[in-house]
Amino acid sequence: MAASTQLVAFTLDDFEARTGSAASIIRTIAGLYLRHEAAPVARTKILALATAAGVSAPTAQTAISRLADRGVLEAAGTSSLQVTAAAHAMFARGDRRIFTPRQMADEELWCLVAYSLPETMRPLRHQVRKHFLQLGGGLVNAGLWIFPGYLREEVLQVLGALEVRSYATVFTTQTPDFPEGAVQAARQWWDLGRLESMHSTFLESTAALDAQPASPAAAYRSYVAMVDAWRALPYLDPGLPDAMLPGNWPGRPSRERFLALSRAYGPGARHFATALLEG
């Protein structure tokens, strides 16, 4: 199981690190900038990127070591680091989720997953549940999950990585016949209260950002913090169709805010990061 364990660890991004923590911020920096470097990056430059994002140097040192322990970064020489191959793949998969978040149309297809694991595989039941939740899956009942159809390939990746594909049947289907209506079904199958709170918090945390940052340094710090605050949301929120969501759902304005601020802050942030890396 050793080989598959590494694959499982990076099937999804890691949301266990608290948003805004040093480990989460530097992980975000790795995904935005470090993975695009052709050569290993000096540890001092990674520290410079971290401190420019508001992380103290001692805290950043500890966080970098933790990310190395988790397989996100690895040593490349005595004083340089690089993003691991597994993390490269994880960040690449995250690009679509984070930067092009989707919302289902009412007529789009659904993906249903029915599975039953024997008692000897009990520990994997927790892993399936954890990964399906982080994919944005809804739990219909024990052993039956529902996802937007466009997440089908990611569902299959999870099942393959956990080596339980032979225990699961995957269906692609039209809109289910909800027993008590679409909105009630969504409330039962997904934690809409948590998702609503996360979207509202993101909107509140970015409310003070101007349409135009004051400087590349300000753009960089704000952009890294914004992406770090946002990156879990498009995983946990599957993008349910409007017919399944309560009124005044904050998901759409949250997505629009992220995309608008990305356009405003992203170029200046990249310019600043590139200058630090090349300096």
Side-chain angles (χ1 to χ4, degrees), residues 32 66 74 113 159-160 198 210 261 266 269 278:
L32 288 172
R66 286 177 179 168
E74 62 185 359
V113 184
L159 294 171
M198 291 176 70
D210 297 323
L261 291 175
E278 294 179 350

Side-chain angles (χ1 to χ4, degrees), residues 138-213:
L139 180 59
V140 180
N141 55 48
L144 180 61
W145 290 77
I146 185 169
F147 301 84
Y150 51 70
L151 294 178
R152 183 177 184 276
E153 290 305 314
E154 293 183 49
V155 167
L156 293 174
Q157 288 176 7
V158 168
L159 294 171
L162 291 169
E163 299 182 353
V164 296
R165 178 66 184 89
S166 61
Y167 296 91
T169 302
V170 180
F171 304 88
T172 302
T173 182
Q174 296 285 349
T175 301
D177 185 2
F178 304 109
E180 298 181 53
V183 174
Q184 182 60 27
R187 289 189 182 281
Q188 291 176 350
W189 299 343
W190 285 272
D191 189 348
L192 292 189
R194 181 192 180 201
L195 294 175
E196 182 176 18
S197 176
M198 291 176 70
H199 280 297
S200 297
T201 298
F202 177 78
L203 288 168
E204 292 167 5
S205 69
T206 57
L209 294 180
D210 297 323
Q212 186 63 41

Side-chain angles (χ1 to χ4, degrees), residues 72-156:
V72 177
L73 300 174
E74 62 185 359
T78 57
S79 59
S80 296
L81 295 140
Q82 62 188 9
V83 174
T84 64
H88 265 290
M90 175 193 70
F91 288 135
R93 287 191 296 270
D95 281 348
R96 182 194 63 77
R97 278 290 189 110
I98 295 170
F99 297 103
T100 56
R102 292 187 60 175
Q103 182 176 11
M104 285 185 73
D106 290 334
E107 67 275 9
E108 285 192 79
L109 297 175
W110 292 91
C111 172
L112 296 177
V113 184
Y115 68 93
S116 178
L117 299 181
E119 187 64 24
T120 55
M121 301 175 71
R122 175 181 287 270
L124 282 174
R125 294 176 187 171
H126 170 72
Q127 290 296 316
V128 171
R129 179 182 175 88
K130 173 185 174 181
H131 284 63
F132 277 4
L133 285 173
Q134 289 193 6
L135 273 185
L139 180 59
V140 180
N141 55 48
L144 180 61
W145 290 77
I146 185 169
F147 301 84
Y150 51 70
L151 294 178
R152 183 177 184 276
E153 290 305 314
E154 293 183 49
V155 167
L156 293 174

Side-chain angles (χ1 to χ4, degrees), residues 211-228:
Q212 186 63 41
S215 67
Y220 171 79
R221 182 164 181 162
S222 296
Y223 183 63
V224 170
M226 183 191 68
V227 174
D228 187 63

